[in-house]
Amino acid sequence: MPEIAPGAIHYPGFLDAAAQEALAREIADVIAQAPLFVSRMPKSGLPMSVRMTNCGPLGWMSDKDKGYRYEPRHPETGAPWPPIPQMLLDVWDALTGYPKPPEACLVNVYAEDAKMGLHQDRDEADFDAPILSLSLGADCRFRFGGRKRSDKTIAVTLSSGDALVFGGPARLCFHGVDKILPSMLTPLPAPLAGLGARVNLTLRRVT
Ligand code: MD6
Ligand code: FE
């Protein structure tokens, strides 16, 4: 499997069409219990272009006043996040081999014009565990750099069914989503159709 950088391993097509459909059904269920919401940038309060929700004991969110953080409850319904579907726990075990289960699964839903700026995932207390990312729907141009924002970056296409594991030396590398690739609009699997163009899941240890 191509290592796009030390510690960052890309598994193109890791989920076949049937597994993508099954995952889409699980995620549609999560969204039914924990509706998509919009996080806001710390300080500026500007809305992010992706809509999000979570499953697992903790969920990632951000708002103007308290910024980036993990919370045990949905910011609008006040309910605990639904559990992480078993098939995701199985993929975590298979691809990370990490001895403890993920505590958070962030679900990001991209409209055709949504993107995600270059960032590090550093709101977790545990950087020993890798992050596992799974993508559904349209291709995107994913950007991957180094530990400093100014380090040189490379572009990788992430497609429906792809997995990406970020661990070890890659764990704190800057990354983002430049754009959804409209020439490659693989529709989201049926259970998620209509919600957007692309869905990305990231599973993490937090504590
Ligand atoms: C995305 N992914 O693919 C955004 N973060 O939509 C991430 O921000 C990400 O893919 C940490 C590790 C893997 C990722
Ligand atoms: Fe990230």
Side-chain angles (χ1 to χ4, degrees):
M1 289 302 155
E3 200 172 32
I4 63 174
I9 305 169
H10 182 200
Y11 298 85
F14 180 78
L15 300 176
D16 65 17
Q20 291 176 43
E21 177 92 15
L23 178 57
R25 216 170 298 122
E26 299 280 13
I27 298 306
D29 253 22
V30 166
I31 292 171
Q33 297 169 68
L36 295 172
F37 64 95
V38 174
S39 275
R40 290 177 176 272
M41 299 299 289
K43 300 197 179 89
S44 74
L46 288 171
M48 297 188 179
S49 67
V50 298
R51 294 187 297 158
M52 61 182 62
T53 189
N54 293 271
C55 50
L58 292 169
W60 189 90
M61 61 165 289
S62 176
D63 58 19
K64 184 175 192 295
D65 295 330
K66 291 205 224 157
Y68 303 150
R69 63 194 189 277
Y70 285 91
E71 292 283 358
R73 289 171 181 276
H74 191 286
E76 290 165 6
T77 69
W81 306 106
I84 299 177
Q86 185 61 44
M87 75 173 282
L88 286 175
L89 300 175
D90 293 344
V91 175
W92 171 270
D93 287 343
L95 290 187
T96 73
Y98 196 75
K100 297 182 200 156
E103 294 169 292
C105 173
L106 171 62
V107 178
N108 279 146
V109 178
Y110 292 74
E112 250 178 272
D113 59 354
K115 52 194 192 281
M116 186 171 298
L118 209 60
H119 66 278
Q120 288 170 302
D121 286 46
R122 50 181 295 170
D123 304 315
E124 302 78 29
D126 178 0
F127 296 141
D128 294 337
I131 294 178
L132 166 64
S133 140
L134 292 168
S135 295
L136 293 173
D139 287 8
C140 79
R141 191 165 78 210
F142 186 78
R143 189 148 294 279
F144 185 85
R147 303 259 191 127
K148 294 201 304 276
R149 187 176 284 281
S150 57
D151 286 346
K152 92 169 171 38
T153 63
I154 57 167
V156 179
T157 300
L158 292 183
S159 303
S160 199
D162 287 11
L164 186 61
V165 177
F166 261 50
R171 178 63 183 76
L172 288 171
C173 286
F174 278 89
H175 58 276
V177 173
D178 292 349
K179 62 184 308 200
I180 304 298
L181 298 172
S183 60
M184 294 291 185
L185 269 183
T186 304
L188 281 168
L192 294 170
L195 287 180
R198 172 175 184 263
V199 171
N200 177 261
L201 312 176
T202 43
L203 288 88
R204 310 116 190 271
R205 289 291 302 175
V206 176
T207 59

XYZ file of all heavy atoms in Angstrom, residues 37-50 52 60-69 76:
211
model
N -24.586 19.376 12.028
C -24.546 20.754 12.531
C -23.333 21.452 11.917
O -22.479 20.810 11.301
C -24.504 20.782 14.074
C -23.275 20.164 14.680
C -22.169 20.944 15.023
C -23.198 18.796 14.907
C -21.029 20.379 15.580
C -22.062 18.214 15.462
C -20.978 19.017 15.796
N -23.292 22.756 12.097
C -22.193 23.563 11.536
C -21.325 24.068 12.682
O -21.824 24.720 13.606
C -22.750 24.746 10.715
C -21.630 25.674 10.259
C -23.547 24.234 9.518
N -20.030 23.743 12.635
C -19.094 24.290 13.621
C -18.607 25.655 13.151
O -18.633 25.956 11.956
C -17.898 23.346 13.797
O -18.191 22.339 14.738
N -18.172 26.476 14.097
C -17.671 27.810 13.769
C -16.227 27.954 14.198
O -15.811 27.343 15.189
C -18.544 28.871 14.445
C -19.908 28.922 13.804
C -20.856 29.889 14.450
N -22.085 29.907 13.665
C -22.301 30.702 12.604
N -21.400 31.582 12.237
N -23.425 30.617 11.937
N -15.508 28.762 13.464
C -14.096 28.987 13.770
C -13.978 29.719 15.109
O -14.781 30.608 15.415
C -13.433 29.845 12.685
C -13.469 29.222 11.301
S -12.619 27.647 11.212
C -10.917 28.200 11.354
N -12.954 29.331 15.905
C -12.720 30.051 17.148
C -12.492 31.542 16.845
O -11.923 31.879 15.805
C -11.438 29.424 17.697
C -11.221 28.170 16.916
C -11.965 28.284 15.646
N -12.895 32.393 17.723
C -12.700 33.854 17.638
C -13.508 34.517 16.536
O -14.368 35.337 16.813
C -11.220 34.225 17.507
C -10.408 33.735 18.702
C -9.058 34.434 18.812
C -8.285 33.948 20.014
N -7.441 32.789 19.712
N -13.264 34.158 15.248
C -13.988 34.855 14.176
C -15.464 34.450 14.158
O -16.316 35.230 13.733
C -13.365 34.528 12.813
O -13.708 33.202 12.413
N -15.755 33.229 14.591
C -17.134 32.748 14.534
C -17.607 32.436 13.128
O -18.790 32.143 12.918
N -16.695 32.452 12.149
C -17.104 32.139 10.770
C -17.468 30.663 10.653
O -16.792 29.809 11.223
C -15.965 32.465 9.788
C -15.706 33.952 9.569
C -14.425 34.162 8.752
C -16.908 34.599 8.864
N -18.545 30.371 9.936
C -18.959 28.965 9.825
C -17.991 28.161 8.960
O -17.443 28.678 7.993
C -20.328 29.063 9.137
C -20.323 30.363 8.413
C -19.433 31.286 9.204
N -17.779 26.911 9.322
C -16.991 26.020 8.464
C -17.856 25.607 7.274
O -19.086 25.609 7.364
C -16.552 24.798 9.263
C -15.635 25.198 10.411
S -14.912 23.787 11.239
C -13.903 24.653 12.462
N -17.203 25.254 6.162
C -18.003 24.928 4.973
C -18.525 23.495 5.019
O -19.434 23.150 4.287
C -17.241 25.215 3.680
O -16.145 24.345 3.522
N -17.956 22.640 5.883
C -18.494 21.283 6.011
C -19.580 21.265 7.089
O -19.576 22.097 7.993
C -17.402 20.247 6.392
C -16.333 20.168 5.322
C -16.789 20.539 7.745
N -21.179 18.660 10.026
C -20.591 17.520 10.741
C -21.522 16.923 11.777
O -22.507 17.524 12.201
C -19.280 17.940 11.405
C -19.383 19.033 12.426
S -17.738 19.493 13.102
C -16.884 20.075 11.650
N -16.035 15.716 18.123
C -15.290 16.963 17.894
C -16.248 18.055 17.444
O -17.169 17.801 16.656
C -14.226 16.740 16.819
C -13.271 17.890 16.678
C -12.095 18.062 17.353
C -13.411 19.023 15.801
N -11.500 19.242 16.956
C -12.283 19.845 16.005
C -14.376 19.422 14.875
C -12.093 21.039 15.314
C -14.188 20.611 14.194
C -13.049 21.406 14.411
N -16.050 19.266 17.940
C -16.838 20.415 17.476
C -16.043 21.688 17.733
O -14.986 21.661 18.376
C -18.172 20.480 18.209
C -18.043 20.642 19.706
S -19.578 21.139 20.480
C -19.697 22.830 19.903
N -16.553 22.783 17.228
C -15.923 24.074 17.476
C -16.984 25.156 17.452
O -17.930 25.087 16.666
C -14.870 24.359 16.411
O -14.316 25.647 16.605
N -16.820 26.150 18.330
C -17.676 27.332 18.247
C -16.831 28.572 18.541
O -15.643 28.465 18.861
C -18.916 27.209 19.133
C -18.577 26.995 20.587
O -17.428 27.290 21.005
O -19.457 26.515 21.332
N -17.470 29.723 18.397
C -16.765 31.000 18.487
C -16.067 31.165 19.833
O -14.900 31.543 19.902
C -17.807 32.115 18.277
C -17.274 33.529 18.239
C -18.430 34.480 17.899
C -17.973 35.876 17.554
N -17.350 36.617 18.616
N -16.787 30.872 20.909
C -16.269 31.208 22.235
C -15.310 30.175 22.814
O -14.284 30.530 23.377
C -17.434 31.437 23.205
C -18.255 32.657 22.794
O -17.667 33.586 22.206
O -19.477 32.670 23.039
N -15.644 28.894 22.670
C -14.817 27.871 23.327
C -13.866 27.154 22.378
O -13.018 26.387 22.815
C -15.709 26.854 24.044
C -16.431 27.460 25.262
C -16.772 26.362 26.261
C -18.165 26.471 26.832
N -18.654 25.181 27.342
N -13.988 27.392 21.061
C -13.024 26.848 20.099
C -13.103 25.342 19.901
O -14.105 24.702 20.222
N -12.010 24.811 19.371
C -11.928 23.385 19.020
C -11.916 22.533 20.279
O -11.115 22.782 21.193
C -10.620 23.085 18.287
C -10.358 23.867 17.036
C -9.051 24.150 16.651
C -11.393 24.282 16.207
C -8.777 24.845 15.480
C -11.128 24.969 15.037
C -9.824 25.256 14.682
O -9.547 25.931 13.525
N -12.727 21.487 20.309
C -12.716 20.621 21.488
C -13.543 19.355 21.250
O -14.254 19.250 20.253
C -13.266 21.347 22.696
C -14.724 21.747 22.534
C -15.113 22.751 23.607
N -16.536 23.022 23.640
C -17.152 23.886 22.845
N -16.483 24.535 21.909
N -18.448 24.095 22.967
N -26.620 20.652 19.826
C -27.994 21.151 19.641
C -29.030 20.281 20.347
O -29.950 20.801 20.967
C -28.311 21.275 18.144
C -27.514 22.428 17.517
C -27.469 22.406 16.006
O -28.152 21.557 15.381
O -26.733 23.241 15.437
